[in-house]
Amino acid sequence: MTQQQYQQCIDACLECMNACNVCYISSLKEYDLAMLRDCIRLNRECAEICSFAAQAMTRGSDFIAEICELCVKACEACAAECGKHQHDHCQACAEACRKCAEACRMMAAVA
């Protein structure tokens, strides 16, 4: 595993974390909060897991593979939920989650 491969995954995690946070805040401003309840919950969860994964990779944790596997699951769940909504912030979040899931999937396979 090269430092560049780690950095690409870290960057994907941080981009996803930021997209989830933007979606979270933007969703709270939408009119129909009940419709976005699961989206909001998953945004928070995914953002925190992505942040944790980036920190673990930065530290060179012995648990990178397992943490990245968890990040894949969180990102896939968040992408699936956000993908149901037509808001721009939801669509941007879903795309960032898909990219992060792919980067973490590759990291988990080689870590």
Side-chain angles (χ1 to χ4, degrees):
M1 180 61 50
T2 67
Q3 184 58 37
Q4 183 179 359
Q5 288 170 309
Y6 271 112
Q7 194 58 53
Q8 289 173 343
C9 191
I10 291 167
D11 291 347
C13 285
L14 294 177
E15 287 174 25
C16 187
M17 177 195 74
N18 288 333
C20 286
N21 283 331
V22 167
C23 190
Y24 172 77
I25 294 299
S26 298
S27 292
L28 288 174
K29 296 175 183 175
E30 295 292 344
Y31 178 74
D32 190 359
L33 281 179
M35 177 185 71
L36 294 169
R37 183 177 299 125
D38 289 338
C39 182
I40 292 166
R41 182 182 54 78
L42 284 166
N43 286 154
R44 290 302 318 132
E45 193 109 37
C46 190
E48 290 179 19
I49 290 170
C50 286
S51 174
F52 179 58
Q55 291 172 41
M57 284 182 275
T58 301
R59 287 191 304 271
S61 170
D62 291 337
F63 307 102
I64 291 172
E66 294 86 352
I67 293 167
C68 283
E69 287 172 12
L70 174 62
C71 196
V72 168
K73 289 179 183 178
C75 287
E76 287 176 344
C78 193
E81 181 58 36
C82 284
K84 295 176 185 176
H85 307 287
Q86 294 307 310
H87 304 88
D88 289 343
H89 54 83
C90 288
Q91 292 300 312
C93 184
E95 181 62 24
C97 286
R98 285 190 285 272
K99 287 180 183 176
C100 186
E102 184 58 33
C104 282
R105 190 175 290 108
M106 290 191 301
M107 180 62 66
V110 296

